[in-house]
Amino acid sequence: MRHAHWAAGLAACGLLSLAGCGGSIGSDPGDNPPVGAAPTYDATIVRDSDGVPHITGEDYGDIGYGYGYVHAEDNLCILAEDLITTLGRRAEFFGRDGSYSIPANGNTSNNVDSDFFWRHMQIEERVAALRADASPEAAAATAGFAAGYSRYVRELQAGEHPGRHAACRDAEWVTPITADDVYRRYFRLAIIASSSALVTEIGAAQPPLPGQTTPAVATDREQFPLQGGLPIGSNMYALSGEATQTGQSMLFGNPHFPWEGTERLYQAHMTIPGELDIMGASLYGVPAALIGFNRHVAWSHTVSTAYRFGLYELTLVPGNPTSYLFDGEAVEMESETYSIQVLEPDGSLTEESRTLYRSHYGPMMSLSVSGIPVLGWDVLRAYTLRDANAENTRMINQFFAWNRAESLDDFIQKQKDILGVPWVNTAATGPGEPAYYADITVVPNVPDSKVTQCQSLLGPVVGALMPGLPVLRGSSSDCDWGTDDDAPAPGIFGPGNLPSLLRDDWVHNCNDSYWLTHPDEPVTGFAAIIGDEETERSLRTRLCIRQVQDRLDGSDGRPGTGFADLAELQDIVLSSALMTERLARQTVLDSICPLGTILSSSLTPVDVSGACAVLASWDGALNLDSVGGHIWREFWKRADDALLPLWLSPFDTSDPVNTPNTLNPLNPQVVSALADAVEALEQAGVALDAPLGALQVSAVHDQANPVPVFGGNGFEGAFTIAARGELVDGRYPVTYGNSYIQTVTWDDNGDPIAEGFVTYSQSTDPASPYFQNMTEAYANKAWIPWRFTAAQLAADPGRVEFRLTE
């Protein structure tokens, strides 16, 4: 007899003890091991009252099995769709006219191009390499995840779990999976900051036809892909005891990720007695903590500015657009023809084939920006991409090793030895430990000298759009990526040429480069491909730094100096303050508001006195009860686009945290921005005195009774992030922003004290009791305790236990 769904027993268990709520879970006789034989998998899961699974097993296979099962229970439809996509079968099930988006990198492609891209990129060699290089722990957990996920799918297909996953439970594309499907998922995550931002450019790249001299353009975009970086971000602080009143280290981590799709984060606690005890969050499909904490260390990540790929410009052999010159010899491109099934609008299935090409560097690509073939494929030249993370087989091993870190020193050494982190900065600390920052990640070994030596024809053009991205000549081995002696793989920088900083007080990163990790000790001297130095910082980074500085010197109005406790850190990081309000509100009130009526950009007179009255009494934040923040948002959105100087005091490298400053009230575009903001709100039917909580709501939960969300946007200089800042039907719908949040310190016994949120909640299934419970807690800033110790979990009256064996 298969187990009853744990939620069905919740009411019956009530407030009984953990043992009373437990029970062995069986399976169909055909799935059970022979009588007397040990089960292949044996996992005990305790769901706490917030939906976080605490998974215990005897080995990594057990942990993966339990994780795969509960992850499918919570998020089956979302993950299943992505798994079928990376198999290159999307058009077969979702049709020719559908599309596929990766919100984490801004890519949207049609289903046909998506299928050809993943067939071309997810070649079996990549999966085989990941499988071959997986550590024993990672390999066992990966196989276990596939087995646990598949078990839940079989149960669903057998009619169990009624009412759950209505969106996909009967879909053909929801199937049991293998370990290789999970390795494909790892690969998909590894290339978020590189190849998968160019799905159509790679999946549809074609050489010119015979007799054709113009470029064969695969797609046309309004701007270069990844221009301005990834559309995801994060904030993080590591504080040593010198920065706290308790004398104990603290860590704050907060990715700003999509609230939709598989780049949501999932919280879990995994324990193998005597071997592993880790709690944290992972992107969907990964049975390890990518951000987390144990008794010895806590860490978080932010998206790095480093590029993970480089482009090569190929000189083609005359008369043969699929052959190029390399070291004086003609080299024929590799080609492969792929065939996919396509669901047509009339319901029929057709077959479509496409031949795609690759150089010895990697796949060919073709790109047009605003009708201009910036990276075209004509009879003279073509462009190809080398992706360092497509070659990265160490990523999953890095996190399994970190999950077992026994000290901050051990954590740091594992990062240097494995060097598998794909595209994020790291901050970490531990009980009584200093504060650590590193961008020790997988970066192409392209020093500035090589860019100068090997600059291609279009290198300066692309460099103007994406500073630091190398576009090198592909005709000479002299322009190949280098390899450092301390690098674990060819073609990348070793840790000695990557930035890091260890301090006795604090470090931070809020998505700018490593340069101002600590303003008293700028980090310099690294290749441009990793990040910029001595350049203007974002408004969010400046607020990020000022919040710590103000707390350490006591100028923020709170008692004492240094962070008093975890609650004070939490109050600061969710305060919803704005750097632009700090810098410019008083100037607006003093210099623009007295005008009373001003001309909009369309030369319409607009009375701004009502808006100014609201701004004068506004609390300066973007909390749910803040009145006036939406006026400021609409004003700043327009003022920030001013062509004339926005600030009277420009950026100064000697004071990068506080410059530029002083809003220019004589800039006519700044003045008209306030009138335009008032006009826009009136046209949208939004009251000037509306509280933010009535306007900004989650767009991924119940829309009949929407959950309000506080926070703002990067362009406003917000630290607490929510939404994209665009009005839709009189509201700001939130589909992006603060996601997993953790605050961690340790008690006198060395046990972690941690609280946080999964802001969009654990489950994407509306039928789950964990569909929006954490979102509601987040809206109220009711911090959720992460129950790490046995005593903390035993004290939770809403916990439910079950056991899975196979």
Side-chain angles (χ1 to χ4, degrees), residues 366-673:
S366 182
L367 168 70
S368 177
V369 178
S370 299
I372 300 172
V374 177
L375 300 174
W377 189 346
D378 57 29
V379 296
L380 298 177
R381 65 183 60 86
Y383 294 87
T384 184
L385 176 146
R386 183 175 178 187
D387 187 335
N389 271 322
E391 303 170 16
N392 177 11
T393 60
R394 303 171 307 285
M395 178 185 76
I396 192 64
N397 295 344
Q398 182 74 74
F399 293 99
F400 274 94
W402 269 350
N403 286 187
R404 307 192 306 279
E406 297 180 352
S407 66
L408 180 61
D409 285 344
D410 184 36
F411 181 92
I412 293 170
Q413 195 60 50
K414 282 178 164 66
Q415 183 169 27
K416 293 178 178 179
D417 291 345
I418 299 172
L419 216 170
V421 179
W423 39 264
V424 287
N425 302 288
T426 301
T429 190
E433 298 276 17
Y436 170 68
Y437 160 84
D439 193 351
I440 296 179
T441 51
V442 176
V443 183
N445 193 316
V446 185
D448 296 350
S449 58
K450 178 151 291 188
V451 174
T452 301
Q453 170 193 347
C454 294
Q455 187 73 275
S456 66
L457 181 67
L458 285 184
V461 176
V462 174
L465 298 171
M466 303 179 69
L469 176 65
V471 186
L472 307 180
R473 293 195 309 273
S475 57
S476 171
S477 56
D478 291 340
C479 298
D480 287 351
W481 295 352
T483 301
D484 288 344
D485 291 340
D486 59 345
I492 61 174
F493 286 119
N497 279 322
L498 293 166
S500 65
L501 186 64
L502 188 68
R503 286 188 59 91
D504 290 329
D505 49 5
W506 63 278
V507 296
H508 92 287
N509 187 267
C510 291
N511 294 128
D512 276 317
S513 75
Y514 50 83
W515 176 48
L516 282 191
T517 294
H518 194 294
D520 293 346
E521 190 177 357
V523 180
T524 60
F526 295 92
I529 193 173
I530 306 172
D532 55 353
E533 300 172 7
E534 298 187 337
T535 60
E536 185 176 334
R537 303 292 90 175
S538 73
L539 290 161
R540 176 159 56 89
T541 289
R542 292 169 63 187
L543 181 58
C544 198
I545 294 171
R546 285 295 305 271
Q547 287 179 158
V548 176
Q549 292 177 329
D550 293 351
R551 180 77 298 268
L552 294 183
D553 65 17
S555 61
D556 62 358
R558 295 177 172 85
T561 59
F563 290 83
D565 51 24
L566 215 57
E568 186 168 76
L569 174 62
Q570 292 167 350
D571 180 58
I572 290 170
V573 298
L574 292 190
S575 65
S576 300
L578 298 175
M579 192 63 182
T580 56
E581 185 275 336
R582 279 195 184 207
L583 294 171
R585 178 166 62 143
Q586 198 58 50
T587 300
V588 171
L589 294 175
D590 292 345
S591 301
I592 300 177
C593 283
L595 299 175
T597 297
I598 57 182
L599 294 178
S600 70
S601 57
S602 62
L603 303 181
T604 303
V606 177
D607 181 359
V608 298
S609 57
C612 287
V614 174
L615 287 177
S617 60
W618 172 40
D619 64 6
L622 291 176
N623 287 307
L624 298 185
D625 58 355
S626 295
V627 176
H630 64 299
I631 300 173
W632 187 257
R633 171 178 294 170
E634 295 301 323
F635 159 68
W636 197 262
K637 185 190 308 178
R638 293 158 175 82
D640 196 33
D641 288 337
L643 299 177
L644 297 174
L646 182 63
W647 304 105
L648 294 177
S649 297
F651 171 70
D652 184 348
T653 55
S654 66
D655 190 12
V657 179
N658 298 304
T659 60
N661 60 45
T662 312
L663 183 68
N664 181 5
L666 299 180
N667 184 331
Q669 291 171 299
V670 171
V671 176
S672 65

Side-chain angles (χ1 to χ4, degrees), residues 116 199 214 245 316 336 346 413 460 469 509 515 535 604 688 698 704 717 792 798:
F116 283 119
V199 169
T214 56
Q245 295 179 26
L316 301 180
E336 187 162 356
D346 64 1
Q413 195 60 50
L469 176 65
N509 187 267
W515 176 48
T535 60
T604 303
L688 296 177
S698 167
Q792 290 168 344

Side-chain angles (χ1 to χ4, degrees), residues 114-456:
S114 171
D115 284 351
F116 283 119
F117 171 84
W118 290 109
R119 294 285 180 95
H120 195 41
M121 291 297 297
Q122 295 251 1
I123 54 178
E124 291 307 309
E125 288 88 342
R126 299 292 191 202
V127 173
L130 285 166
R131 187 193 318 115
D133 287 355
S135 67
E137 298 84 4
T142 300
F145 182 95
Y149 175 101
S150 297
R151 173 177 178 156
Y152 186 82
V153 170
R154 290 193 301 270
E155 290 177 0
L156 201 70
Q157 292 173 339
E160 298 188 41
H161 316 297
R164 296 301 303 273
H165 309 290
C168 73
R169 66 178 294 139
D170 298 321
E172 292 181 75
W173 44 270
V174 176
T175 66
I177 62 173
T178 69
D180 279 0
D181 293 307
V182 186
Y183 285 117
R184 287 188 184 89
R185 173 64 183 156
Y186 301 160
F187 181 79
R188 152 81 164 73
L189 293 173
I191 62 172
I192 279 176
S194 45
S195 298
S196 70
L198 299 158
V199 169
T200 303
E201 288 79 7
I202 292 172
Q206 293 291 290
L209 297 171
Q212 179 183 1
T213 58
T214 56
V217 177
T219 189
D220 188 34
R221 293 187 182 233
E222 293 183 0
Q223 66 176 25
F224 205 94
L226 295 180
Q227 189 175 343
L230 288 172
I232 51 178
S234 312
N235 296 328
M236 62 184 181
Y237 295 134
L239 310 169
S240 78
E242 287 192 8
T244 69
Q245 295 179 26
T246 64
Q248 186 55 273
S249 302
M250 297 181 187
L251 183 122
F252 160 71
N254 176 203
H256 308 147
F257 270 47
W259 286 28
E260 302 173 298
T262 55
E263 274 66 74
R264 286 170 47 125
L265 287 136
Y266 185 74
Q267 169 84 344
H269 181 195
M270 294 160 281
T271 304
I272 302 171
E275 166 71 14
L276 176 76
D277 197 4
I278 184 70
M279 193 169 193
S282 296
L283 297 173
Y284 283 12
V286 183
L290 304 183
I291 293 173
F293 59 92
N294 60 25
R295 285 183 170 82
H296 312 293
V297 67
W299 77 96
S300 193
H301 297 300
T302 61
V303 176
S304 163
T305 57
Y307 287 107
R308 312 300 165 173
F309 66 100
L311 304 178
Y312 278 96
E313 183 179 273
L314 302 181
T315 300
L316 301 180
V317 173
N320 185 355
T322 60
S323 183
Y324 59 98
L325 297 174
F326 184 73
D327 283 345
E329 301 289 334
V331 178
E332 188 69 25
M333 296 176 190
E334 296 178 17
S335 66
E336 187 162 356
T337 300
Y338 306 93
S339 297
I340 65 170
Q341 297 292 307
V342 181
L343 178 64
E344 302 293 355
D346 64 1
S348 64
L349 275 178
T350 61
E351 184 174 274
E352 185 165 327
S353 298
R354 187 177 292 176
T355 300
L356 298 175
Y357 298 84
R358 64 178 58 249
S359 71
H360 71 282
Y361 296 109
M364 301 301 298
M365 60 173 292
S366 182
L367 168 70
S368 177
V369 178
S370 299
I372 300 172
V374 177
L375 300 174
W377 189 346
D378 57 29
V379 296
L380 298 177
R381 65 183 60 86
Y383 294 87
T384 184
L385 176 146
R386 183 175 178 187
D387 187 335
N389 271 322
E391 303 170 16
N392 177 11
T393 60
R394 303 171 307 285
M395 178 185 76
I396 192 64
N397 295 344
Q398 182 74 74
F399 293 99
F400 274 94
W402 269 350
N403 286 187
R404 307 192 306 279
E406 297 180 352
S407 66
L408 180 61
D409 285 344
D410 184 36
F411 181 92
I412 293 170
Q413 195 60 50
K414 282 178 164 66
Q415 183 169 27
K416 293 178 178 179
D417 291 345
I418 299 172
L419 216 170
V421 179
W423 39 264
V424 287
N425 302 288
T426 301
T429 190
E433 298 276 17
Y436 170 68
Y437 160 84
D439 193 351
I440 296 179
T441 51
V442 176
V443 183
N445 193 316
V446 185
D448 296 350
S449 58
K450 178 151 291 188
V451 174
T452 301
Q453 170 193 347
C454 294
Q455 187 73 275
S456 66

Side-chain angles (χ1 to χ4, degrees), residues 639-778:
D640 196 33
D641 288 337
L643 299 177
L644 297 174
L646 182 63
W647 304 105
L648 294 177
S649 297
F651 171 70
D652 184 348
T653 55
S654 66
D655 190 12
V657 179
N658 298 304
T659 60
N661 60 45
T662 312
L663 183 68
N664 181 5
L666 299 180
N667 184 331
Q669 291 171 299
V670 171
V671 176
S672 65
L674 184 57
D676 289 345
V678 173
E679 269 192 333
L681 290 170
E682 288 176 349
Q683 290 170 5
V686 176
L688 296 177
D689 61 353
L692 184 70
L695 304 175
Q696 187 164 275
V697 299
S698 167
V700 302
H701 295 101
D702 182 5
Q703 295 305 290
N705 298 288
V707 181
V709 182
F710 53 84
N713 300 267
F715 69 81
E716 302 169 278
F719 179 89
T720 309
I721 300 297
R724 296 291 189 186
E726 298 298 330
L727 277 170
V728 178
D729 297 328
R731 283 179 173 172
Y732 297 105
V734 178
T735 59
Y736 163 90
N738 284 3
S739 51
Y740 172 69
I741 302 176
Q742 66 175 24
T743 54
V744 185
T745 189
W746 290 264
D747 65 17
D748 292 339
N749 297 320
D751 286 329
I753 302 170
E755 295 180 345
F757 302 98
V758 180
T759 60
Y760 31 65
S761 302
Q762 286 280 83
S763 178
T764 49
D765 179 13
S768 168
Y770 307 119
F771 177 63
Q772 65 182 51
N773 62 313
M774 284 200 205
T775 312
E776 292 165 350
Y778 177 66

